[in-house]
Amino acid sequence: MAFDLPSAVDVLVVGGGPAGLSAATWLGRYQRSTVVVDAGQQRNLSAEFAHGLLGRDPTTPGELLAEARAGLEQYPQVVLHHGRATALRRDEGGLFHATVDGAEISAERVVLATGVRDQVPEVAGFADHYGIDVHHCPACDGYAARGQLVIILGSGMHVPAYAAELLDWADSVRVVTGTTEPAFDEEQRAVLADYGVEVVDGVAEALIGAPGALAGVQLADGELVEGDKVFFSYAHHPTNDLARQLGCELDHEGGIAVNGFQLTSVDGVYAAGDITAGLQLVPIAIGKGAAAGVACATSLRGHRTTGAAPAPAPPTRLFTAR
């Protein structure tokens, strides 16, 4: 797999996480010249483990990415570029033009796998505990909290439902609201009380205990809220700048709207992973990436490959209905 940046390819993949690398793998298998632009900001890099991957449960995020990148080496048409795409446009002829680290690259198709960015709590010790005993994804890491005392840090009307989700595993759940004023309405508090979820109105200041041996969360007033695990949910922000530049339709949360083939509202642009709606799990991102890669590759049937080495993919016969 080459690491130089070509000036023209069949497909530009923006995002080098599980979805983007999965798409690139299938584009490579279809012998389509492809550049993957990887800014190195994968959402789960801080996690100790990635779970639930068939045959690889658990693995570390770093190992998963390293093996995926190594797997791309068997496809000489695929180029991995560590950098950032800052601009993307489509000309009148349907060709896409991207600015990658100041250079321009053109592509017949685009796959956006740019993911989301989580808003993290501003508490002392967060960086040391994140991915070990502090997590953002109940489905990903709730199993590790089975039978334990879980503290939820978060704000917003979605937090009660988020807290209730942890009851699938936790022995008990307590919500620290981040404000000294009463949070949630009476109906929400009543539902939480019915589930046995305690609401603590207070501002989290610090995580107490060593990483892997969390004792709890200290509030600004000095109170210690005891707990074994912390989950947080404030907001996550879709990295949709390039999608906006292209005019892709977005959903109400800012994610990219796609059809069953991961095609966006802009012809020739596909999207996969957490930037699209649905469960945000690594196995699902991989599957969506595969779907986007195959759909993107097959949309190019009948088109000669642009700038590929060692040999272009042969044009596919165009069939017509009788």
Side-chain angles (χ1 to χ4, degrees), residues 269-281:
V269 180
Y270 298 78
D274 290 355
I275 193 63
T276 61
L279 288 174
Q280 296 180 341
L281 297 171

Side-chain angles (χ1 to χ4, degrees), residues 120-256:
V120 302
E122 297 181 1
V123 296
F126 171 80
D128 294 330
H129 287 268
Y130 191 25
I132 300 172
D133 40 30
V134 175
H135 312 281
H136 68 264
C137 175
C140 304
D141 295 292
Y143 184 78
R146 61 195 185 280
Q148 296 187 333
L149 308 179
V150 170
I151 300 170
I152 306 296
L153 303 180
S155 59
M157 300 304 286
H158 70 286
V159 171
Y162 179 88
E165 187 176 354
L166 267 300
L167 291 171
D168 285 342
W169 303 278
D171 181 66
S172 69
V173 175
R174 309 172 83 180
V175 178
V176 175
T177 63
T179 175
T180 56
E181 300 297 325
F184 315 127
D185 58 32
E186 292 183 3
E187 182 178 354
Q188 287 178 306
R189 283 184 174 252
V191 170
L192 288 171
D194 287 342
Y195 281 109
V197 176
E198 180 184 355
V199 177
V200 180
D201 292 312
V203 178
E205 187 172 77
L207 301 175
I208 304 301
L214 186 73
V217 174
Q218 182 177 309
L219 305 185
D221 63 5
E223 178 185 355
L224 175 65
V225 179
E226 295 182 352
D228 306 303
K229 296 282 186 184
V230 168
F231 283 76
F232 67 90
S233 181
Y234 295 92
H236 58 259
H237 306 286
T239 50
N240 57 20
D241 290 348
L242 297 179
R244 290 181 181 275
Q245 291 178 30
L246 291 171
C248 295
E249 179 185 347
L250 304 178
D251 62 25
H252 68 286
E253 294 184 336
I256 304 175

Side-chain angles (χ1 to χ4, degrees), residues 278-302:
L279 288 174
Q280 296 180 341
L281 297 171
V282 171
I284 291 176
I286 292 171
K288 287 183 176 181
V294 171
C296 183
T298 55
S299 77
L300 286 165
R301 282 177 175 157

Side-chain angles (χ1 to χ4, degrees), residues 16-38:
L21 295 177
S22 179
T25 297
W26 282 95
L27 287 162
R29 292 192 62 77
Y30 275 83
Q31 302 181 86
R32 287 298 174 181
S33 59
T34 303
V35 163
V36 182
V37 179
D38 178 14

